[in-house]
Amino acid sequence: PDTFQFRDKENLLIYCTGKPLGGIRTAKPYKNFELVVRWRHLKYAGNSGIFIWSPKSVLDKLKPGQLPQGIEIQVLDLGYEERWLKNKGKPSEWFTSPVDVFPVGVARMKPFPPAAPNGKRSFPSKRLSKGVGEWNHYYIKAVDGVVRLSVNGEEVSGGEECHPSEGYLCLESEGSAVEFKGLKIRELK
């Protein structure tokens, strides 16, 4: 079956099986925009993401099983971090669940604080995400190389000096079932 399926076009419900790894992108690139979407994981410790400003040159070279590049807005179930803590016996220093914002591959970004110890990720200032099976709301505002993420009504992370600051928007498939609904994009001048 297809990795991404439109299950309810009226309510813009997109179901992602999570397998194979990969992504689906917008038909056109965006520079300045607002994006709203609701999402929920259907499996404990699920992993997914929303990429912004993914370059066409990179997307055109992707092979099956490869993930997009650009600025990633993490869509990670709280169980992912819980599982890490259980397996490693200590919290991760390089990620949190689920609302980190960070550059992947060719992308660069100066994260808003609090930042990961390595200085590459913007960690959330507040933990507002809901667990597996519950709907979360993301509001992403991306203007002139600055990205801001609000989760369930409150801004929690982001970054500036993003490069590239224009490109495609992608939903990521990274191993587990996730649903997105009500996805809307509004271009800004």
Side-chain angles (χ1 to χ4, degrees):
D2 292 337
T3 303
F4 290 91
Q5 304 162 8
F6 283 94
R7 291 229 165 133
D8 180 349
K9 290 185 182 182
E10 185 175 311
N11 293 308
L12 299 173
L13 180 64
I14 303 165
Y15 171 75
C16 174
T17 63
K19 297 175 184 176
L21 297 181
I24 185 172
R25 70 177 175 101
T26 54
K28 68 176 203 164
Y30 291 86
K31 180 171 177 61
N32 297 328
F33 63 90
E34 293 174 310
L35 182 148
V36 294
V37 66
R38 294 178 68 202
W39 63 268
R40 70 177 175 183
H41 277 287
L42 303 176
K43 177 183 167 190
Y44 179 79
N47 188 356
S48 185
I50 299 168
F51 279 81
I52 65 169
W53 297 325
S54 292
K56 183 176 186 331
S57 60
V58 171
L59 293 173
D60 286 348
K61 294 177 188 174
L62 285 182
K63 293 180 175 44
Q66 292 182 324
L67 298 173
Q69 296 179 27
I71 304 299
E72 182 171 356
I73 290 86
Q74 188 72 72
V75 174
L76 196 63
D77 178 60
L78 299 171
Y80 197 92
E81 194 172 18
E82 292 167 1
R83 184 180 288 166
W84 174 280
L85 180 60
K86 182 180 176 185
N87 291 340
K88 305 288 185 183
K90 62 181 182 175
S92 168
E93 293 184 2
W94 66 273
F95 77 91
T96 68
S97 291
V99 293
D100 297 359
V101 176
F102 56 97
V104 175
V106 299
R108 301 291 173 261
M109 179 187 90
K110 179 180 174 187
F112 292 163
N118 68 8
K120 294 185 179 182
R121 286 179 178 236
S122 174
F123 282 176
S125 58
K126 275 187 166 179
R127 292 175 171 259
L128 300 172
S129 296
K130 300 173 187 172
V132 67
E134 296 184 73
W135 287 103
N136 289 279
H137 181 273
Y138 274 10
Y139 167 73
I140 300 164
K141 186 171 185 177
V143 176
D144 296 333
V146 177
V147 59
R148 297 178 179 281
L149 170 63
S150 295
V151 177
N152 296 322
E154 203 167 327
E155 185 175 310
V156 297
S157 54
E160 59 191 352
E161 299 176 22
C162 296
H163 180 78
S165 59
E166 183 170 0
Y168 291 86
L169 312 180
C170 305
L171 298 179
E172 176 193 35
S173 171
E174 196 170 350
S176 60
V178 63
E179 289 180 324
F180 298 92
K181 76 175 178 178
L183 191 147
K184 295 178 185 173
I185 303 165
R186 182 173 75 143
E187 284 191 90
L188 303 172
K189 294 184 182 204

